[in-house]
Amino acid sequence: MRIITNIISMRFHYYFLIIITLLSLQFFKTALSENLNLYSARQEVLMRDLINSFEKKTNIKVNIISAKANQLVERIELEGKYTRADILLTVDVARLIDAKKKNLFKAVESNILHENVPREYRDKDKKWFGLSLRSRVFVYHQDRVSQNELKGYLSLMHKNWKSRILVRSSNNVYNQSLVSAMISNYGKDTTKKFLTSFRKNFARDPSGGDRDQIRAVISGEGDLALVNSYYYLKMKKNDKSNKLKDLRLHFPSDDKMKTHMNISGAGIIKYSKNYDNALKFLEFLVTTEAQKIYADINLEYPIIDNLELSQFMSNYIDFERDNLNLNTIANFNKEALLLMGETGWQ
Ligand SMILES: [Fe+2]
């Protein structure tokens, strides 16, 4: 009886070993076939169609690691030359500028990126490239705001706007970049004056994200929200119960500054172990096919010229873009933060 039990136990160990060996082989196989590691501060759902299409075309497997931009930057910094990151993909030029300052990127020589991404939306030292565009716009209630109140960003300092404006916190990078762009266009003194008065016009203390500001216009807490274009476009496109029927979009513009444009973008990591694949991926993201996905699914504006847009998006492209070179934002970022703090924008 004891002999039989021993044989069964040995057999069990034998099978157990085989299973462990097979699982390890599978693990190494998967690890080896991970041909591109994308550290992404964008939600996977926004990148999924782009990745699927790239994988199908190239047979390069994209492994996506998603987290907040500052967490990814910190992680890549900590990992140093041992990092597995090949690309850092994020939104807002200020975050790309920060990653560049921390020396995370390497310069990329690519005619495709150079020709497809306009100069104002790529790094002058070839370390980051814009991949899609968004504008920072006014969303307002058509019955509570008159047409002659709708001008450029500076007009929001007028006392007519008292307790009517909704905007998120100054901690947010979208606001920081907008203020940097304002300093560049209007100068420091005018921007400071603007911020002092603008702050007094808030309908409430800043809270929530851009979508929450739009919701607060619907609920009547304020009359106008300062938000990124795609938030409004997404809510509008999916507005089955017609909640946004009285809301309209205004593209701010005056003689000194047109509508602020910002980017989502990416750079290749200095210690990338899959440089060629990383370059292929970035070059894929500026193709007509990928740009169409950015526009149709993410409702962002294409970075390339002459892309045919959907009927829906075509309703929102007729505006004057501010042509500020986004490299300039780096010069005013610190000043913008200081001014926002000084003038009490929480
Ligand atoms: Fe966003």
Side-chain angles (χ1 to χ4, degrees):
M1 189 64 192
R2 205 189 165 122
I3 293 171
I4 294 171
T5 320
N6 275 345
I7 288 172
I8 290 172
S9 158
M10 273 175 66
R11 281 219 153 156
F12 176 77
H13 278 112
Y14 177 70
Y15 287 128
F16 183 71
L17 262 176
I18 288 179
I19 288 167
I20 289 293
T21 313
L22 284 175
L23 281 176
S24 316
L25 279 175
Q26 188 53 42
F27 172 78
F28 284 119
K29 209 174 130 207
T30 313
L32 282 177
S33 65
E34 279 172 7
N35 285 329
L36 176 61
N37 295 318
L38 175 66
Y39 280 36
S40 173
R42 307 208 77 180
Q43 293 169 352
E44 183 163 351
V45 50
L46 295 177
M47 295 306 294
R48 192 26 64 196
D49 287 359
L50 290 161
I51 289 172
N52 288 348
S53 168
F54 175 75
E55 286 182 332
K56 221 192 249 167
K57 251 195 175 78
T58 58
N59 270 329
I60 296 167
K61 186 183 179 305
V62 180
N63 181 33
I64 182 164
I65 293 100
S66 302
K68 290 200 162 139
N70 57 341
Q71 292 169 334
L72 293 173
V73 165
E74 228 169 81
R75 182 169 162 184
I76 299 169
E77 255 192 311
L78 265 173
E79 291 171 343
K81 61 181 173 186
Y82 301 105
T83 190
R84 296 184 63 213
D86 295 310
I87 288 177
L88 173 69
L89 185 128
T90 185
V91 294
D92 202 288
V93 68
R95 294 206 176 108
L96 294 162
I97 288 169
D98 176 54
K100 179 191 173 191
K101 253 192 214 150
K102 289 175 173 153
N103 204 13
L104 300 192
F105 293 140
K106 75 163 80 187
V108 172
E109 297 298 337
S110 160
N111 285 340
I112 295 178
L113 290 171
H114 206 260
E115 278 160 24
N116 283 285
V117 182
R119 182 190 303 269
E120 59 267 36
Y121 303 131
R122 57 179 150 84
D123 177 43
K124 60 181 173 22
D125 302 314
K126 305 173 182 175
K127 303 244 173 134
W128 51 259
F129 298 86
L131 300 168
S132 63
L133 289 169
R134 59 275 303 286
S135 49
R136 199 134 180 88
V137 296
F138 300 168
V139 171
Y140 65 95
H141 192 287
Q142 61 170 0
D143 299 337
R144 290 186 248 125
V145 174
S146 68
Q147 282 303 309
N148 59 23
E149 288 182 297
L150 294 163
K151 291 170 186 144
Y153 296 103
L154 272 194
S155 69
L156 297 184
M157 69 190 281
H158 199 281
K159 55 183 186 309
N160 274 2
W161 285 107
K162 193 165 171 41
S163 304
R164 297 167 70 198
I165 292 172
L166 293 146
V167 67
R168 73 201 286 180
S169 146
S170 66
N171 285 334
N172 176 260
V173 73
Y174 302 152
N175 288 329
Q176 295 167 7
S177 289
L178 173 66
V179 173
S180 303
M182 289 181 76
I183 297 173
S184 176
N185 280 305
Y186 298 118
K188 188 183 163 187
D189 291 347
T190 304
T191 307
K192 187 171 180 180
K193 266 188 213 144
F194 161 79
L195 287 171
T196 309
S197 307
F198 174 63
R199 214 207 95 14
K200 291 179 189 151
N201 293 337
F202 289 2
R204 62 177 187 191
D205 287 339
S207 77
D210 281 5
R211 274 175 229 262
D212 297 304
Q213 315 311 317
I214 297 173
R215 288 187 194 111
V217 177
I218 299 171
S219 70
E221 239 183 300
D223 298 340
L224 178 145
L226 178 58
V227 296
N228 276 359
S229 47
Y230 54 87
Y231 289 112
Y232 172 78
L233 297 179
K234 269 185 200 167
M235 286 170 84
K236 183 76 186 165
K237 203 175 176 196
N238 302 319
D239 189 24
K240 295 199 177 73
S241 50
N242 228 359
K243 280 189 185 139
L244 274 73
K245 68 175 180 346
D246 294 323
L247 266 49
R248 295 289 178 271
L249 204 58
H250 172 72
F251 295 97
S253 175
D254 60 31
D255 55 349
K256 288 218 170 99
M257 181 170 176
K258 311 301 172 197
T259 300
H260 171 63
M261 302 302 290
N262 211 307
I263 52 173
S264 82
I268 300 184
I269 301 302
K270 193 168 139 193
Y271 294 113
S272 164
K273 317 289 185 291
N274 301 297
Y275 179 82
D276 291 349
N277 293 347
L279 181 58
K280 269 185 204 150
F281 188 62
L282 290 193
E283 289 181 343
F284 166 75
L285 292 180
V286 299
T287 59
T288 311
E289 181 192 343
Q291 289 290 306
K292 192 109 189 71
I293 297 177
Y294 269 117
D296 289 349
I297 301 196
N298 297 2
L299 305 183
E300 292 174 273
Y301 298 107
I303 200 93
I304 62 170
D305 289 334
N306 305 323
L307 187 83
E308 206 183 312
L309 290 169
S310 67
Q311 185 66 50
F312 177 78
M313 277 298 275
S314 304
N315 295 327
Y316 303 100
I317 52 171
D318 195 15
F319 66 95
E320 266 191 288
R321 298 173 177 188
D322 196 57
N323 60 4
L324 181 74
N325 184 317
L326 292 188
N327 285 278
T328 316
I329 297 276
N331 307 338
F332 300 107
N333 205 277
K334 246 192 206 148
E335 212 147 27
L337 284 174
L338 274 173
L339 281 189
M340 286 192 284
E342 261 175 51
T343 51
W345 183 347
Q346 288 175 19

